[in-house]
């Protein structure tokens, strides 16, 4: 009897075990492969959990199918695979909502002009402002930490870093979204470099151009994991988090309340959704630990089966994603910089064995920044896609086109090219760009500058070849744009000199190599010197005087422009007493780089020094270029307000060379407009320039701005300007820039 009972009970036990495993297996596979719509049965039970009203239930019955717009390139939050399937946190979250409500979502691609006619729901909204026609749900479905990443090789950071340790550092941050603003507020002394792509920041970290990169932990850990990036490590977390919301058609009250109930029920960062996408080593460790210690045999078995199944699924997702990510740039669908660098290295290995030549070409769109600045990133993106198409129509296999950075493309030429062949190829590329780009009823004329280097002629090292092609491309830009330059020995010398110079510039202040020249500016009515421009000079002990046209650009490139600017602030304050004794109520004009406007501290400090010394703000004028005012950041606006409040004057420098809209400038309080010297040099011979000058003066006066002509070299020019009622004259005719002792 005892044995029979045992046998029966064992059988029951085994059957039970078998049955449970089967049910759980079915359930777990069901849950992980759930379509966006669910069977009515599951939905019905879940609906009760949400306590939906009968009106809400009616609504779901009447509208079971909805469209959800989801972004395609924000891995792993929302992205699209090669097979056109949408994936990521947002899509999985929608599946959870489906499960709870019975609503069925058709996922469509998000675009910048999306309206409730295209989709009832949008996901992936960063910050607090939804597109027009949509309303944010009450809670974010995702809230991620922003973490600090540094170069692995750096010895500076040994233990975990806190944000405040970065207060004097150069930090890379992604250009759009509110993170950069928040960082500037927390770390006013840090230098912020805005980047287009995570890879760009990783390269900057690796080369030492920036000290740390701050970005979305979920996104960057995932990126780092899949690209097996070893040169970068996570070094700490910041207190800044990024929230991601869904937005719902704002006119549909019932839909809003249904989705609010569903998201409140699921909550922010549901673990079952996030675990597929989190890529930190500690997670795996925790999972294993919990699995080992918490359950007895049966549960452990089930857990293990589930874990096995979900890891299989993750592996499948991961391999699809790895394949896609490792090869493509999401915007243009071109190979990305990882793939192209690999291809280049492979090609270099092959050429080492053969007598083949290969070429590296860098293409950079000229004035692309203007498209982004004046028409926004959405239009900029479309221009980039179209540019990629045009390039691909000229460059066909076996050659490879890749997107290398913001508006930069790298082409690998594999067919033994020589200079003549490259010239012909680039002529076709330049020709392809001739036709204006038409995007959303707007038309843009965009050209490209191309540089190339050859292997083995110039180098057999991939990084060097890219650097040389880049230098050649800059030479194409410097010498008129819209053309092709092949790297050569002269450029090599130039490049080494420039790199050397940029390094030397870092020490120019402490080695006492900087000083100022002053150039008087005369009132054309009274011929009195009322203003004086401070111009920075750098005398290097071996290289002699280096033109500010060269070293200011270098300083803007390597981040030391803020230090140079601060030195200028101090020096003009020291010189002020002497200048005011010499000229009376003089106004000192200083050139301020846009980068100096990205921080609060330097300008704030200058103003506080003015107050301490009892000098009025009216005795100083900041010369800025109009680019600064086109899409000013909040920090820039705040600095402009502070400048205005303290009576410091503002002048627009080099007017006529850029965007040149006085009406636009009228949105800001501008006191002076300086007409660029390129117009003044021609006014006596060129009627066009004369008419232009006249109209700038006329319009400026209408808008209560005073006009300064710069580069006045002849008495004829000065007479004409006087007749046009220009207010001030600056130029070699009256006074060259000179040392303070010579004034
Ligand atoms: P800018 O602000 O347009 O300065 C005027 C430039 O025109 C100066 O060149 C000046 O020497 C030159 N100039 C003055 N009168 C005449 C003339 O009659 N004929 C001609 N052909 N040129 C004249 P400089 O000193 O070489 O400065 C070049 C540029 O470097 C400046 O252009 C400014 O953009 C930048 N720069 C100079 N000092 C500073 C500085 O302290 N900070 C910043 N951010 N930029 C500076
Ligand atoms: Ca100036
Ligand atoms: Ca100027």
């Amino acid at each position: 009897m005892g044995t029979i009972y045992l046998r029966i009970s064992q059988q029951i036990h085994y059957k039970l075990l078998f049955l449970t495993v089967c049910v759980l297996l079915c359930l777990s596979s069901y849950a992980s492969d759930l379509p966006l719509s669910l069977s009515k049965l599951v939905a019905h039970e879940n609906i009760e959990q949400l306590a939906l009203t009968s009106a809400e239930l009616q609504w779901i019955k009447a509208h079971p199918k909805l469209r959800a717009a989801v972004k395609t390139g924000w891995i792993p939050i929302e992205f699209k695979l090669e097979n056109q399937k949408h994936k990521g946190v947002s899509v999985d979250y929608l599946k959870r909502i489906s499960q709870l409500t019975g609503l069925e979502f058709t996922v469509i691609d998000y675009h910048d002009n999306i309206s409730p006619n295209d989709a009832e729901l949008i996901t992936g909204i960063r910050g607090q402002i939804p597109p027009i026609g949509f309303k944010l749900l009450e809670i974010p479905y995702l809230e991620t930490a922003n973490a600090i990443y540094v170069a692995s090789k750096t010895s500076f950071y040994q233990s975990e870093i806190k944000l405040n340790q970065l207060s004097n550092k150069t930090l890379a941050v992604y250009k759009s979204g509110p993170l950069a603003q928040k960082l500037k507020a927390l770390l006013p002394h840090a230098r912020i470099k805005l980047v287009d792509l995570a890879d760009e920041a990783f390269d900057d970290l690796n080369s030492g151009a920036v000290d740390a990169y701050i970005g979305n932990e979920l996104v960057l850990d995932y990126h780092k994991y899949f690209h097996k990036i070893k040169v970068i490590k996570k070094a700490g977390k910041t207190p800044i988090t990024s929230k991601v919301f869904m937005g719902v058609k704002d006119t549909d009250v019932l839909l809003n309340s249904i989705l609010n109930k569903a998201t409140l029920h699921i909550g922010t960062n549901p673990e079952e959704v996030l675990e597929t996408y989190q890529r930190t080593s500690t997670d795996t460790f925790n999972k294993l630990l919990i699995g080992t210690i918490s359950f007895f045999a049966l549960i452990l078995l089930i857990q293990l089966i589930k874990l096995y199944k979900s890891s299989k699924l993750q592996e499948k997702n991961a391999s699809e994603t790895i394949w896609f990510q490792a090869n493509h740039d999401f915007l243009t669908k071109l190979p990305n910089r990882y793939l192209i660098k690999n291809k280049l290295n492979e090609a270099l290995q092959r050429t080492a064995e053969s007598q083949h030549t290969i070429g590296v070409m860098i293409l950079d769109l000229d004035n692309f920044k203007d498209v982004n600045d004046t028409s926004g990133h959405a239009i900029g993106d479309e221009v980039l896609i179209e540019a990629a198409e045009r390039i691909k129509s000229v460059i066909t296999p076996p050659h490879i086109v890749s997107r290398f950075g913001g508006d930069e493309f790298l082409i690998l030429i594999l067919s033994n090219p020589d200079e003549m062949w490259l010239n012909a190829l680039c002529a076709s590329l330049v020709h392809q760009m001739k036709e204006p780009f038409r995007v959303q009823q707007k038309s843009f004329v965009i050209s490209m500058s191309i540089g190339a280097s050859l292997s083995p002629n110039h180098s057999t090292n991939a990084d060097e070849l890219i650097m040389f092609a880049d230098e050649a491309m800059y030479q194409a830009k410097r010498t008129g744009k819209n053309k092709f330059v092949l790297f050569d020995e002269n450029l090599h010398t130039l490049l080494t000199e420039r790199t050397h110079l940029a390094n030397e510039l870092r020490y120019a202040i402490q080695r006492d190599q900087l000083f100022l020249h002053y150039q008087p500016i005369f009132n054309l009515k009274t011929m009195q010197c009322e203003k004086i421009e401070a111009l920075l000079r750098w005398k290097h002990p071996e290289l002699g005087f280096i033109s500010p046209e060269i070293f200011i650009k270098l300083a803007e490139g390597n981040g030391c422009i803020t230090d140079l600017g601060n030195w200028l602030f101090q020096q003009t304050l020291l010189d002020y007493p002497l200048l005011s004794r010499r000229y009376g109520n003089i106004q000192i004009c200083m050139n301020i780089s846009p980068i100096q406007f990205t921080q609060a501290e330097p300008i704030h400090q200058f103003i506080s020094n003015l107050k301490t010394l009892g000098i009025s703000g009216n005795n100083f004028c900041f010369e800025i270029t109009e680019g600064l005012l086109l899409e000013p950041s909040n920090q820039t606006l705040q600095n402009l307000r502070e400048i205005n409040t303290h009576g410091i004057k503002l002048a627009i420098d080099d007017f006529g060379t850029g965007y040149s809209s006085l009406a636009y400038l009228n949105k800001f309080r501008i006191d002076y407009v300086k007409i660029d010297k390129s117009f003044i040099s021609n006014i006596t011979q060129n009627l066009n320039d004369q008419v232009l000058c006249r109209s700038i003066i006329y319009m400026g006066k209408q808008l209560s701005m005073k006009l300064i002509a710069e580069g006045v070299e002849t008495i004829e020019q000065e007479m004409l300007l006087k007749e046009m009622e220009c207010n001030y004259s600056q130029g070699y005719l009256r006074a060259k820039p000179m040392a303070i002792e010579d004034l």
Side-chain angles (χ1 to χ4, degrees):
M1 186 65 192
T3 41
I4 293 171
Y5 170 76
L6 186 72
R7 215 176 291 145
I8 292 171
S9 85
Q10 262 179 352
Q11 269 177 4
I12 293 174
H13 199 115
Y14 282 134
K15 274 189 181 162
L16 219 94
L17 178 67
F18 179 64
L19 227 97
T20 324
V21 170
C22 284
V23 169
L24 280 165
L25 258 174
C26 289
L27 273 180
S28 71
S29 73
Y30 187 43
S32 48
D33 278 323
L34 223 51
L36 281 191
S37 66
L38 263 197
S39 86
K40 298 278 179 298
L41 182 78
V42 178
H44 180 74
E45 283 170 6
N46 287 325
I47 278 172
E48 283 176 4
Q49 293 179 33
L50 292 185
L52 295 179
T53 63
S54 56
E56 287 163 350
L57 287 169
Q58 276 311 108
W59 194 96
I60 294 177
K61 242 188 187 164
H63 314 86
K65 292 190 178 186
L66 298 177
R67 290 157 303 169
V70 170
K71 296 197 180 84
T72 54
W74 191 17
I75 300 170
I77 296 173
E78 33 196 55
F79 58 100
K80 202 171 168 183
L81 295 174
E82 183 75 339
N83 61 12
Q84 300 301 307
K85 260 169 88 179
H86 287 267
K87 285 220 159 260
V89 173
S90 309
V91 174
D92 289 358
Y93 201 99
L94 288 176
K95 283 183 189 167
R96 288 286 291 123
I97 298 181
S98 256
Q99 213 174 350
L100 277 171
T101 57
L103 286 167
E104 224 178 279
F105 294 106
T106 308
V107 178
I108 62 163
D109 289 356
Y110 175 91
H111 58 88
D112 278 333
N113 298 318
I114 201 118
S115 84
N117 294 333
D118 309 312
E120 290 78 19
L121 178 70
I122 42 182
T123 60
I125 305 175
R126 276 174 284 196
Q128 303 284 346
I129 304 162
I132 296 166
F134 293 92
K135 192 174 165 195
L136 290 190
L137 289 184
E138 281 167 25
I139 58 160
Y141 62 101
L142 187 65
E143 181 166 5
T144 48
N146 285 291
I148 303 166
Y149 296 80
V150 296
S152 305
K153 64 184 177 199
T154 177
S155 55
F156 178 68
Y157 308 109
Q158 295 298 357
S159 52
E160 194 186 325
I161 303 174
K162 296 265 185 309
L163 193 61
N164 56 16
Q165 285 168 269
L166 300 175
S167 60
N168 288 317
K169 301 282 178 217
T170 307
L171 309 176
V173 186
Y174 182 57
K175 66 173 185 204
S176 45
L179 180 60
Q181 287 302 329
K182 289 184 188 167
L183 270 178
K184 279 177 202 162
L186 284 174
L187 303 176
H189 298 285
R191 289 172 292 274
I192 306 272
K193 180 172 189 255
L194 300 177
V195 291
D196 262 318
L197 305 165
D199 299 338
E200 207 179 309
F202 287 176
D203 280 357
D204 282 347
L205 280 176
N206 203 22
S207 70
V210 302
D211 300 300
Y213 175 39
I214 310 227
N216 189 313
E217 187 181 26
L218 179 71
V219 174
L220 293 176
D221 281 354
Y222 200 84
H223 190 81
K224 190 167 142 23
Y225 172 85
F226 277 119
H227 288 302
K228 301 189 175 65
I229 300 170
K230 296 274 186 297
V231 289
I232 304 305
K233 64 180 179 194
K234 183 158 72 179
K237 290 204 187 187
T238 72
I240 310 171
T241 61
S242 299
K243 293 179 181 168
V244 187
F245 288 87
M246 290 193 189
V248 190
K249 184 178 175 180
D250 62 3
T251 49
D252 218 317
V253 182
L254 286 171
L255 176 61
N256 265 275
S257 71
I258 296 166
L259 292 176
N260 268 321
K261 282 181 182 173
T263 43
L264 281 166
H265 184 83
I266 303 169
T268 304
N269 298 349
E271 205 177 312
E272 69 275 18
V273 168
L274 282 194
E275 64 183 4
T276 319
Y277 302 102
Q278 272 164 341
R279 285 289 177 272
T280 44
S281 47
T282 44
D283 283 351
T284 333
F285 177 71
N286 284 344
K287 259 188 232 159
L288 282 176
L289 198 69
I290 291 163
T292 328
I293 58 173
S294 42
F295 300 109
F296 52 89
L298 177 62
I299 305 296
L300 180 66
L301 180 67
I302 294 165
Q303 285 295 327
L304 282 174
I305 292 169
K306 274 178 83 176
L307 209 74
Y308 174 69
K309 275 204 66 88
S310 83
S311 75
K312 272 280 171 224
L313 183 77
Q314 277 186 23
E315 242 174 57
K316 184 168 160 275
N317 282 348
S319 61
E320 280 174 287
T321 316
I322 286 175
W323 180 84
F324 193 80
Q325 273 191 300
N327 292 285
H328 294 91
D329 154 57
F330 271 90
L331 189 67
T332 58
K333 305 282 186 276
L334 288 175
N336 64 17
R337 61 198 282 148
Y338 280 97
L339 181 68
I340 200 75
K341 274 192 176 174
N342 284 342
K343 293 272 174 205
L344 174 57
N345 276 317
E346 280 167 25
L348 285 171
Q349 264 169 20
R350 285 197 304 272
T351 49
E353 292 147 19
S354 66
Q355 296 298 310
H356 252 70
T357 296
I358 57 167
V360 170
M361 285 167 46
I362 297 224
L363 281 66
D364 190 286
L365 303 185
D366 299 323
N367 311 325
F368 177 72
K369 200 180 161 294
D370 296 347
V371 177
N372 264 346
D373 286 349
T374 56
S375 306
H377 289 286
I379 289 192
D381 283 353
E382 289 197 41
V383 168
L384 280 175
I385 294 170
E386 166 80 28
E389 287 303 319
R390 293 191 190 189
I391 297 168
K392 273 196 292 187
S393 71
V394 178
I395 312 284
T396 49
H399 315 305
I400 309 170
V401 187
S402 69
R403 179 160 178 226
F404 204 61
D407 61 344
E408 232 178 49
F409 299 87
L410 189 148
I411 297 175
L412 186 55
I413 299 289
L414 296 165
S415 62
N416 224 356
D418 60 19
E419 187 169 358
M420 229 167 75
W421 188 87
L422 280 176
N423 267 322
L425 184 77
C426 292
S428 326
L429 280 168
V430 164
H431 181 78
Q432 271 299 316
M433 294 286 138
K434 280 230 160 74
E435 190 71 18
F437 286 66
R438 279 180 234 287
V439 179
Q440 294 179 18
Q441 280 104 43
K442 291 190 177 182
S443 178
F444 305 94
V445 179
I446 289 174
S447 58
M448 65 166 62
S449 299
I450 310 171
S453 60
L454 297 173
S455 180
N457 315 35
H458 300 130
S459 169
T460 51
N461 172 286
D463 287 332
E464 248 179 32
L465 281 167
I466 294 173
M467 187 166 77
F468 292 166
D470 210 43
E471 181 60 26
M473 183 274 289
Y474 274 107
Q475 179 67 5
K477 292 230 182 227
R478 281 191 292 265
T479 52
K481 301 180 177 168
N482 194 26
K483 60 172 174 171
F484 165 61
V485 169
L486 181 63
F487 188 72
D488 64 16
E489 267 315 304
N490 292 338
L491 282 179
H492 192 237
T493 321
L494 214 72
L495 180 67
T496 13
E497 275 172 14
R498 236 205 3 255
T499 320
H500 175 67
L501 216 58
N503 282 333
E504 290 287 284
L505 185 56
R506 290 182 191 275
Y507 304 102
I509 296 179
Q510 68 199 63
R511 290 179 186 163
D512 224 9
Q513 295 166 358
L514 291 183
F515 58 99
L516 283 183
H517 269 175
Y518 287 98
Q519 185 176 30
I521 302 172
F522 296 89
N523 182 322
L524 272 169
K525 267 200 183 128
T526 62
M527 278 333 208
Q528 295 294 308
C529 168
E530 289 181 4
K531 297 155 67 63
I532 197 155
E533 181 171 0
L535 293 156
L536 205 49
R537 297 290 177 258
W538 177 24
K539 189 176 180 192
H540 187 276
E542 283 119 42
L543 303 165
F545 281 107
I546 292 146
S547 157
E549 311 261 23
I550 292 172
F551 75 78
I552 295 292
K553 276 208 189 73
L554 288 179
E556 286 175 335
N558 75 5
C560 68
I561 188 73
T562 314
D563 297 336
L564 294 193
N566 288 342
W567 181 87
L568 176 84
F569 282 152
Q570 280 176 9
Q571 194 56 43
T572 48
L573 285 175
L574 287 174
D575 289 345
Y576 177 79
L578 210 154
L579 290 170
S580 71
R581 273 203 299 281
R582 165 81 177 76
Y583 293 103
N585 191 21
I586 191 84
Q587 186 187 67
I588 303 179
C589 308
M590 288 185 283
N591 295 287
I592 312 286
S593 156
I595 296 172
Q596 291 171 267
F597 271 85
T598 60
Q599 302 156 46
E601 188 54 25
I603 289 172
H604 192 74
Q605 186 61 50
F606 174 69
I607 289 173
S608 118
N609 290 345
L610 272 184
K611 281 195 222 157
T612 316
L613 294 168
I615 303 173
S616 157
N618 288 317
N619 291 108
F620 282 85
C621 174
F622 286 180
E623 296 192 2
I624 56 173
T625 44
E626 48 191 332
L628 181 76
L629 304 176
L630 280 183
E631 263 193 21
S633 66
N634 286 341
Q635 186 60 62
T636 297
L637 292 172
Q638 204 176 312
N639 281 328
L640 287 171
R641 271 195 295 274
E642 195 172 359
I643 290 166
N644 277 340
T645 316
H646 290 90
I648 297 173
K649 304 292 174 221
L650 268 186
I652 299 295
D653 208 350
D654 304 337
F655 191 79
T657 57
Y659 193 63
S660 307
S661 162
L662 276 176
Y664 180 82
L665 293 181
N666 202 31
K667 288 203 298 192
F668 305 91
R669 219 203 64 202
I670 305 295
D671 306 281
Y672 303 96
V673 173
K674 297 188 82 169
I675 310 169
D676 192 66
K677 49 184 176 294
S678 58
F679 293 101
I680 307 300
S681 62
N682 289 329
I683 42 168
T684 50
Q685 304 103 346
N686 184 324
L687 201 63
N688 271 346
D689 282 356
Q690 200 183 108
V691 171
L692 229 123
C693 234
R694 219 179 263 283
S695 47
I696 293 176
I697 295 172
Y698 175 79
M699 279 194 302
K701 288 204 178 283
Q702 297 298 309
L703 299 167
S704 318
M705 299 169 188
K706 293 221 161 93
L707 282 301
I708 303 169
E710 53 173 37
V712 182
E713 292 182 353
T714 66
I715 190 78
E716 290 78 16
Q717 288 165 351
E718 192 179 86
M719 303 264 282
L720 194 56
L721 286 159
K722 235 181 182 165
E723 183 256 308
M724 291 176 181
E725 294 187 23
C726 180
N727 307 88
Y728 293 94
S729 161
Q730 172 182 9
Y732 296 169
L733 171 69
R734 296 271 158 203
K736 289 199 167 181
M738 53 194 125
I740 191 163
E741 312 77 73
D742 302 329
L743 281 167

